[in-house]
Amino acid sequence: MRDFRWPPPPDGGPRTYGPGPSAPRTGRPALPEPATEIVTTPHGARLERLVTGSGRPVTVFAHGFGSGIATTRPLGSAVTGSKVFFQFRGHGRSDAPPGPWTYRDLARDLRAVADLSNAGRAVGVSLGAGALGRLLTESPERFERVVFFLPAVLDEARPPASTERLHHLLDAVGVGDISAVADVLSAEIPPAVRNTPASWAYLRQRIDQLMRDGLAPELADLTGEVAVPDRAALSRVTARALVIGCVGDDLHPVAAAEALAAALPKAELHVYDRPGVFWTNRADLRDRISTFLN
């Protein structure tokens, strides 16, 4: 990573040799990666897990495609009780069982981690939201409260543009093309903050993790899958739900959030008016999730 010189450093940062000890020290840095553990699930997959906080309630957090524990932790920063973060199969240090994979497999991963920690609440982000929805179609009474942040797919396939972008990420990580990985990841950052110390730190952390751990090629199976076979099955869910979407996000169409909220009996929907919620509405997002769960 010392030879990596894309994207250009923010104003005031190093301009000669890429990120390193002299990289920007201002702005909001990404959360450091703490020590995690590997747990064996009843279905045989070994998954990477991190538990923070203590006591009850216990909330499990399920990350998005190509993401992981570090980028999901900010969502739980104001949530009380114990917080359980994990890596889905094919991500981080978790196993990559032989494919093909479906959202049913992801739901098994999520259920296993939730059961091992006696979690009564769950937060699903993008891919994790799909896994959470699939779990609830099979066990509608499993959780008391659930949060779906930026659901990407329900019972209709992802848009072609979304599928193409995910394949670009998998291909770039697979061949170790750092600049191509950065191109894909930087698209998640609003242009107004793309050349700031905070975004530089975020990109550096994501790229370090992806180059170290990689992504399983079997994840490509999921890009064309639907999360639930029939949204009508969600009508039996007993949990209170908060569904959060945003306008203008190609990877997470607001229509998916609206359809999910309409399908759940006890759901409230909040839609942000622009994408990049982590960057433009971080405090409000954190407060909205913690207020609902606490």
Side-chain angles (χ1 to χ4, degrees), residues 85-116:
F85 305 89
F86 74 102
Q87 307 271 49
F88 278 117
R89 60 183 60 205
H91 293 78
R93 297 194 293 138
S94 293
D95 283 349
W101 300 343
T102 67
Y103 276 89
R104 186 169 185 267
D105 296 306
L106 300 184
R108 293 178 73 190
D109 290 348
L110 173 56
R111 181 198 298 273
V113 173
D115 289 350
L116 287 171

Side-chain angles (χ1 to χ4, degrees), residues 129-130 133 147-149 151 153-154 228 231 234 241-244 254-265 267 269:
V147 177
F148 297 87
F149 178 50
V153 62
L154 193 56
V228 301
R231 70 184 69 179
L234 294 169
L242 171 63
V243 181
I244 302 173
V254 69
E258 293 169 341
L260 177 58
L264 293 164
L269 171 67

Side-chain angles (χ1 to χ4, degrees), residues 56-185:
R56 295 189 176 278
V58 181
T59 307
V60 62
F61 292 76
H63 64 81
F65 191 105
S67 188
I69 291 172
T71 52
T72 311
R73 284 178 64 205
L75 295 177
S77 60
V79 174
T80 58
S82 300
K83 290 161 282 192
V84 182
F85 305 89
F86 74 102
Q87 307 271 49
F88 278 117
R89 60 183 60 205
H91 293 78
R93 297 194 293 138
S94 293
D95 283 349
W101 300 343
T102 67
Y103 276 89
R104 186 169 185 267
D105 296 306
L106 300 184
R108 293 178 73 190
D109 290 348
L110 173 56
R111 181 198 298 273
V113 173
D115 289 350
L116 287 171
S117 41
N118 295 314
R121 304 180 179 196
V123 177
V125 182
S126 188
L127 183 81
L132 177 56
R134 182 58 177 265
L135 192 162
L136 289 172
T137 64
E138 300 168 355
S139 301
E141 300 179 352
R142 176 59 186 82
F143 296 107
E144 302 165 357
R145 291 180 183 242
V146 291
V147 177
F148 297 87
F149 178 50
L150 299 181
V153 62
L154 193 56
D155 55 0
E156 297 179 359
R158 291 175 181 265
S162 171
T163 299
E164 183 179 2
R165 204 149 117 203
L166 297 178
H167 279 285
H168 282 330
L169 178 62
L170 287 172
D171 292 343
V173 172
V175 300
D177 188 337
I178 295 177
S179 290
V181 173
D183 279 332
V184 177
L185 297 181

Side-chain angles (χ1 to χ4, degrees), residues 4-8 164-173 176-191 194 199-200 202-204 206-207 210-211 251:
F4 178 54
R5 302 181 66 177
W6 190 103
E164 183 179 2
R165 204 149 117 203
L166 297 178
H167 279 285
H168 282 330
L169 178 62
L170 287 172
D171 292 343
V173 172
D177 188 337
I178 295 177
S179 290
V181 173
D183 279 332
V184 177
L185 297 181
S186 65
E188 304 172 5
I189 304 172
R194 199 168 287 168
S199 66
W200 185 242
Y202 168 81
L203 280 175
R204 202 164 58 239
R206 288 287 307 276
I207 292 168
L210 287 171
M211 293 299 101
L251 285 180

Side-chain angles (χ1 to χ4, degrees), residues 33-39 47-51 69-70 73 85-87 93 212:
E33 296 186 34
T36 57
E37 61 182 341
I38 302 295
V39 296
L47 302 176
E48 185 177 5
R49 183 181 70 172
L50 169 71
V51 181
I69 291 172
R73 284 178 64 205
F85 305 89
F86 74 102
Q87 307 271 49
R93 297 194 293 138
R212 182 187 70 230

